[in-house]
Amino acid sequence: METTRKTSSTNLLDGRRSSGPGQILKGMTLEELQAWCIDRGQTRFRGLQLFEWMYRHQVTNPDTMTNISGEFRGYLREHCIFNTLELLKVTQSDTGTTQKLLLTTADDLHLETVSMLEKNRHTVCLSSQIGCNVDCDFCATGSMGFLRNLSVGEIIDQLIAAYQLTDVPVTNIVFMGMGEPFLNYDRVMTAADIFHHRQGFDLGATRITISTSGILPGIQRFIREKRRYKLAVSLNATTEAVRSKIMPVSHTWSIEKIFSELREYQSDSQRKIMFEYILMQDINDSPEDAVRLINMIKDFDCKLNIIPYNETDGRYRRPDEEVIEKFLEILYRRRGNIQILVRWSKGQDIAAACGQLAVRSS
Ligand code: SAH
Ligand code: SF4
C-alpha cells in the first residue's frame, strides 16, 4: 500500500517560486552569476559566493548567506528568486526507500522526480521535460504529449527537493524521468555541469547518467563536446522493424546509424556505454531476441540494463517470470565481458518506476 502526504510549499523549498517579478538566480552558472554581480556593482567573488550558497549549500533564503553583506542580502531578498518549484505531494513506496515527488512550476505545470535510497546510494531520477514528444508507444510520459522543456533551475531544484526531503546527500543522478534529455540538450548539460562543478554539487561525472531514446544529433554533440557523463541508450528492440514500431524515433535514426556513432565514440573515448532494454511480452522477449541482443552489443564495452516492463495502460505487458528467466539465462550464457543488470523497478507500486511518470497539468 502506498502512503501519500501533502506538503506545504514552505517546508521543503521555502520561499517564492518564479512567478511575478524578480530575477531567477537558480540555474545560473558561475560565470553568469559573476557577470550579474559585477553589473550590480559587486565583486566577481560575490558570484562565487552565491554559486556556493545555492548549489553547494542548497540554501534558498538569502538571510542565511552569512558571508554576504547585509545590504546586498536585502537586495537579493527584494529582487531575486531562489526557487523555481514547489513540492506538492510525496508518495512513498511500500518499502519506504523510493519516493515520488510531485512538483509544480511557476506556470502551474506538474512534474515528477523519483528519489531512491539503497544502502549508501541516493539516486535521483530527474525529469528533463514536461511530457515528451518522442512518443514511444509503451511510455506513459510519451502519452501525455509535450508541454515544455524544463529550465536549468527547474532541473536543479528537483535534486534539491529530493535532498531536502530525505536529508541524505545525493550520490547518483539519472536523467530517466519525464522527457528526452537530448531534446533539451543545453539546459540538461548546464545543469549536469553545475552538478559536477567542484564548488557546486561536486558529483563525479560518472555519477551522472543521461539516457536517450536515440536522438542522433544529441549523441553526436555529446561526443563532439567530449562530455564525461555516462551515456545510456534505450535500445528496447533487436530489429529495426520492431524498434520502429514501438519507438517512432527509429524511423529517423536507425539502430545502425546510432551504433556506428557509438563505435566511433568508444574507439576515441573508451567510455562505457549503457544499453537499456525493456522486456515486453510478445514484443521483444523471445529467445531469438536474447541471442540477437547479445550479438548486437557484444563488441561494445558496455553494460546492459534489462528492465522488465512496468505496466501502464495495459496495452503492453510484462512477460511472465519464466519467460524473463529464460531470456536472462540466454544473455548470461553468452554475455562475455558484458555486465548485465536487471532493474526490477523500485517504486512500481507508486507508479514511480521508469516510464510510469506522467502527470496532468492543473
Ligand atoms: N527519454 C529518455 C529517458 C527517459 S525514459 C529515454 O527514453 O531513454 C527512461 C527509460 O525508461 C528508457 O530506457 C525507457 O525505455 C524506459 N521506459 C519507458 N517506459 C517504460 C515502462 N513502462 N517500463 C519500463 N521502462 C520504461
Ligand atoms: Fe520520451 Fe523516453 Fe518516454 Fe520515449 S521512453 S516517450 S523518449 S520519455
Side-chain angles (χ1 to χ4, degrees):
M1 204 191 60
E2 68 181 49
T3 50
T4 298
R5 64 194 148 103
K6 284 242 175 207
T7 62
S8 82
S9 58
T10 48
N11 56 357
L12 284 155
L13 295 174
D14 62 323
R16 297 167 292 172
R17 283 185 285 153
S18 55
S19 51
Q23 168 80 43
I24 303 167
L25 295 188
K26 188 64 67 58
M28 282 168 77
T29 64
L30 177 57
E31 296 69 28
E32 286 167 345
L33 284 167
Q34 286 169 331
W36 184 83
C37 284
I38 289 169
D39 281 351
R40 274 146 197 86
Q42 298 289 315
T43 59
R44 240 172 102 75
F45 181 63
R46 197 59 94 219
L48 174 63
Q49 288 177 316
L50 276 176
F51 189 83
E52 290 192 331
W53 281 118
M54 282 198 298
Y55 306 132
R56 185 186 207 164
H57 306 297
Q58 298 165 32
V59 156
T60 49
N61 179 356
D63 291 333
T64 46
M65 301 180 180
T66 46
N67 57 5
I68 292 179
S69 69
E71 195 189 339
F72 195 53
R73 285 208 305 259
Y75 177 87
L76 295 172
R77 206 171 35 245
E78 247 345 89
H79 300 282
C80 300
I81 286 162
F82 289 88
N83 286 327
T84 61
L85 299 175
E86 205 174 277
L87 182 61
L88 283 187
K89 195 171 97 176
V90 178
T91 316
Q92 202 164 66
S93 69
D94 285 348
T95 55
T97 52
T98 299
Q99 312 198 66
K100 183 167 72 170
L101 288 75
L102 177 67
L103 299 146
T104 179
T105 62
D107 51 349
D108 286 323
L109 296 173
H110 292 177
L111 65 129
E112 291 177 323
T113 303
V114 182
S115 151
M116 292 163 283
L117 294 168
E118 189 185 28
K119 292 186 195 132
N120 42 13
R121 281 161 79 106
H122 181 188
T123 303
V124 179
C125 178
L126 297 179
S127 294
S128 54
Q129 301 181 309
I130 301 185
C132 183
N133 63 5
V134 177
D135 205 20
C136 301
D137 205 36
F138 50 79
C139 175
T141 307
S143 65
M144 300 169 56
F146 172 72
L147 298 178
R148 72 164 170 85
N149 282 322
L150 290 173
S151 68
V152 179
E154 287 164 340
I155 294 171
I156 290 176
D157 273 340
Q158 294 175 62
L159 184 144
I160 294 179
Y163 170 57
Q164 294 186 344
L165 179 71
T166 55
D167 217 16
V168 180
V170 175
T171 58
N172 297 76
I173 292 172
V174 292
F175 279 93
M176 294 184 187
M178 294 165 65
E180 168 50 56
F182 279 171
L183 291 180
N184 188 15
Y185 187 96
D186 290 315
R187 297 181 190 89
V188 165
M189 289 305 157
T190 304
D193 290 346
I194 293 173
F195 293 142
H196 179 49
H197 199 290
R198 256 270 157 96
Q199 269 102 6
F201 293 79
D202 197 20
L203 272 174
T206 54
R207 290 175 176 271
I208 301 171
T209 301
I210 300 175
S211 172
T212 180
S213 56
I215 306 294
L216 190 64
I219 296 175
Q220 288 167 327
R221 191 169 162 198
F222 182 88
I223 296 172
R224 199 171 58 241
E225 293 175 353
K226 300 196 186 320
R227 299 283 178 175
R228 292 168 48 233
Y229 309 119
K230 269 200 205 156
L231 181 63
V233 176
S234 301
L235 194 52
N236 299 342
T238 61
T239 64
E240 300 281 6
V242 172
R243 196 167 193 271
S244 304
K245 225 161 147 186
I246 58 174
M247 301 178 74
V249 67
S250 224
H251 290 293
T252 316
W253 298 297
S254 64
I255 303 176
E256 198 29 60
K257 278 189 193 154
I258 292 166
F259 273 28
S260 91
E261 202 62 48
L262 294 179
R263 268 184 224 111
E264 234 171 274
Y265 172 55
Q266 283 217 314
S267 66
D268 288 353
S269 74
Q270 278 103 45
R271 283 190 214 293
K272 243 193 181 62
I273 294 167
M274 186 197 281
F275 289 108
E276 292 165 279
Y277 190 93
I278 53 180
L279 261 182
M280 294 180 282
Q281 189 173 68
D282 299 332
I283 303 286
N284 61 3
D285 62 344
S286 71
E288 295 75 35
D289 279 308
V291 174
R292 270 197 300 269
L293 176 58
I294 284 290
N295 287 341
M296 281 167 89
I297 64 171
K298 68 175 188 298
D299 295 332
F300 286 103
D301 178 13
C302 65
K303 278 189 191 171
L304 175 62
N305 209 337
I306 298 290
I307 317 168
Y309 183 66
N310 300 307
E311 295 180 11
T312 56
D313 60 4
R315 282 187 312 128
Y316 289 90
R317 307 212 74 91
R318 176 180 282 202
D320 293 337
E321 206 124 310
E322 313 83 72
V323 175
I324 299 178
E325 288 304 326
K326 173 107 192 81
F327 194 91
L328 292 174
E329 198 189 299
I330 298 171
L331 295 182
Y332 279 116
R333 236 186 296 127
R334 296 167 180 253
R335 74 179 185 275
N337 291 326
I338 300 172
Q339 192 186 341
I340 301 174
L341 307 161
V342 185
R343 204 157 79 210
W344 294 101
S345 280
K346 302 167 182 72
Q348 210 191 351
D349 57 325
I350 55 168
C354 296
Q356 289 185 310
L357 301 183
V359 289
R360 251 182 256 282
S361 53
S362 57

